């Protein structure tokens, strides 16, 4: 009787456990899929784990564990946008414990860091530390991100300074070019004025030469006219002289007078040529 009673008791306990397990399974239908996803995850089959976690969420959409594990599987596949979306939805829940919130914000910080959003990652790590201040890993991640932010800020300042220096150099070069252009314009204007003055001087010199030539011609005409008058008067005097032309000049005297006239014309011509040479030299182009 004792053995039969013991056997019956064991069967009762097993039945109770089975009933409890069945009841637990009915109360938590996602658990089987989560456990299957965890095994697949450990085998580094992240796509298969993602599928099982999604199935678990279909059974129980509010399952924190299924959603959190799903975000981890997405992160391992570098699906950062989807992972951030799942973690963002979890972070908005008000029923999370401080430990759960700390884990969510820590992983969201890792996702933002992978997206090269350093400031957002730092904010997530800070939020995680508010919920769990003694988490050394989160503190290390925050310190590392802050160091990268400082380096990034320093690089940006250096780039801004270099850009400012380049802009100043470009502005100085433009100012120098403008000054050179202005100097060239002034030089061209001065050259034009010099050319106009040279043209005016040449015209004036040409007029002076013409005037000098006209004066010399008039002087020569007056000299020849005076000679002709003197010759005529001599002829007239000679014709009026008595004693059969005793007033006529000799051949030698006539040649002397002609030589004197020729010398006078030569001197006059040399004077005109000298004045022309001076005028031309004075009106030469100023190089």
């Amino acid at each position: 009787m004792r053995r039969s009673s013991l056997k019956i008791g064991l069967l009762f306990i097993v039945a109770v456990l089975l009933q409890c397990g069945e009841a637990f399974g009915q109360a938590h239908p996602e658990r089987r899929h989560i456990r299957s996803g965890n095994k697949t995850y450990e085998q580094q089959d992240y796509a298969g784990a993602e599928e099982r976690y999604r199935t678990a969420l279909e059974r129980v959409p509010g399952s924190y564990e299924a959603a959190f594990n799903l975000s981890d599987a997405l992160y391992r596949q570098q699906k950062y946008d989807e992972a951030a979306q799942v973690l963002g939805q979890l972070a908005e829940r008000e029923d999370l414990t401080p430990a759960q919130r700390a884990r969510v914000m820590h992983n969201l910080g890792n996702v933002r860091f992978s997206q090269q959003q350093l400031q957002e990652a730092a904010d997530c790590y800070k939020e995680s530390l508010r919920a769990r201040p003694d988490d050394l890993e989160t503190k290390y991640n925050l310190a590392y991100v802050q160091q990268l932010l400082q380096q990034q800020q320093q690089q940006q300042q250096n780039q801004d300074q270099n850009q400012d220096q380049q802009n100043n150099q470009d502005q100085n070069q433009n100012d120098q070019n403008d000054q050179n252009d202005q100097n060239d314009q002034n030089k061209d204007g001065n050259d034009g004025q010099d050319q106009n003055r040279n043209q005016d001087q040449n015209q004036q010199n040409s007029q002076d030469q013409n005037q000098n030539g006209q004066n010399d011609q008039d002087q020569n005409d007056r000299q020849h006219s005076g000679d002709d008058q003197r010759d005529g008067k001599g002829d007239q005097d000679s014709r009026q002289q008595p004693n059969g032309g005793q007033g006529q000049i000799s051949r030698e005297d006539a040649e002397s007078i002609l030589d004197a006239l020729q010398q006078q014309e030569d001197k006059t011509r040399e004077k005109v040529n000298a004045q022309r040479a001076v005028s031309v030299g004075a009106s030469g182009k100023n190089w």
Side-chain angles (χ1 to χ4, degrees):
M1 291 292 297
R2 291 180 178 178
R3 291 181 177 179
S4 298
S5 299
L6 180 60
K7 186 176 180 179
I8 293 173
L10 291 174
L11 292 174
F12 177 77
I13 293 173
V14 171
V16 172
L17 291 175
L18 290 175
Q19 291 177 356
C20 290
E22 184 178 357
F24 182 81
Q26 292 177 355
H28 302 280
E30 82 283 5
R31 293 302 306 171
R32 180 168 61 89
H33 300 288
I34 292 175
R35 287 194 299 269
S36 177
N38 292 342
K39 291 179 180 179
T40 306
Y41 182 92
E42 292 174 356
Q43 296 172 359
Q44 298 182 356
D45 182 6
Y46 303 120
E50 174 191 351
E51 182 180 357
R52 287 162 175 78
Y53 294 141
R54 289 189 183 278
T55 302
L57 283 174
E58 290 175 359
R59 298 296 178 87
V60 181
S63 174
Y64 163 82
E65 186 176 0
F68 184 84
N69 290 359
L70 174 61
S71 68
D72 199 3
L74 293 171
Y75 176 81
R76 295 295 181 179
Q77 298 177 79
Q78 298 182 357
K79 297 180 179 180
Y80 300 130
D81 291 339
E82 296 180 46
Q85 182 179 2
V86 174
L87 291 170
Q89 292 174 353
L90 281 176
E92 294 177 356
R93 290 175 55 168
E94 297 180 355
D95 59 339
L96 297 181
T97 65
Q100 289 174 340
R101 182 171 298 279
R103 292 177 62 191
V104 168
M105 297 309 299
H106 177 92
N107 281 12
L108 184 56
N110 291 343
V111 173
R112 296 306 186 191
F113 179 83
S114 299
Q115 293 176 316
Q116 298 182 354
Q117 299 176 7
L118 299 183
Q119 187 59 55
E120 289 79 0
D123 294 338
C124 291
Y125 291 141
K126 291 178 182 179
E127 186 67 24
S128 177
L129 288 173
R130 290 188 182 98
R132 190 168 57 184
D134 58 346
D135 188 353
L136 296 179
E137 184 177 359
T138 304
K139 289 181 179 180
Y140 172 81
N141 289 0
L142 176 59
Y144 180 67
V145 170
Q146 287 178 335
Q147 182 180 5
L148 294 179
L149 285 172
Q150 290 178 356
Q151 293 176 358
Q152 190 178 73
Q153 184 178 6
Q154 185 63 38
Q155 291 176 356
Q156 184 63 40
Q157 291 178 354
N158 293 337
Q159 291 178 358
D160 293 340
Q161 291 177 356
N162 294 334
Q163 185 64 38
D164 292 340
Q165 292 177 357
Q166 184 64 38
N167 292 337
N168 291 334
Q169 291 177 358
D170 294 341
Q171 184 63 38
N172 293 334
Q173 184 64 38
N174 292 334
D175 294 341
Q176 183 65 35
N177 293 336
D178 294 340
Q179 184 64 35
N180 293 336
D181 293 340
Q182 185 64 34
N183 293 336
D184 293 339
Q185 292 177 0
N186 294 335
K187 182 178 180 181
D188 293 339
N190 293 333
D191 292 341
Q193 294 177 359
D194 293 339
Q195 185 176 3
N196 293 333
R197 286 195 295 269
N198 291 334
Q199 292 177 354
D200 295 340
Q201 185 65 33
N202 292 336
Q203 292 177 358
Q204 183 63 36
N205 293 334
S206 178
Q207 293 176 359
D208 294 340
Q209 291 176 5
N210 294 333
Q211 184 64 35
N212 292 333
Q214 183 64 36
N215 294 335
D216 293 339
Q217 183 65 36
D218 294 341
Q219 183 177 0
N220 290 333
D221 292 341
R222 286 194 298 271
Q223 290 177 351
H224 288 296
S225 176
D227 294 338
D228 292 340
Q229 291 176 2
R230 286 192 297 271
D231 292 341
K233 183 178 180 180
D235 294 341
Q236 184 178 3
D237 293 342
S238 175
R239 285 193 295 272
Q240 291 177 356
Q241 288 181 1
N243 301 326
Q246 294 181 358
Q248 294 181 354
I249 61 175
S250 65
R251 181 182 181 86
E252 291 78 6
D253 293 336
E255 291 179 355
S256 298
I257 293 174
L258 291 175
D259 290 338
L261 292 175
Q262 185 64 42
Q263 291 178 1
Q264 184 66 31
E265 290 180 0
D266 292 340
K267 290 181 180 180
T268 301
R269 188 179 296 107
E270 290 177 358
K271 181 179 179 180
V272 172
N273 291 335
Q275 290 177 349
R276 288 179 179 178
V278 171
S279 299
V280 172
S283 61
K285 184 176 181 181
N286 185 9
W287 294 99

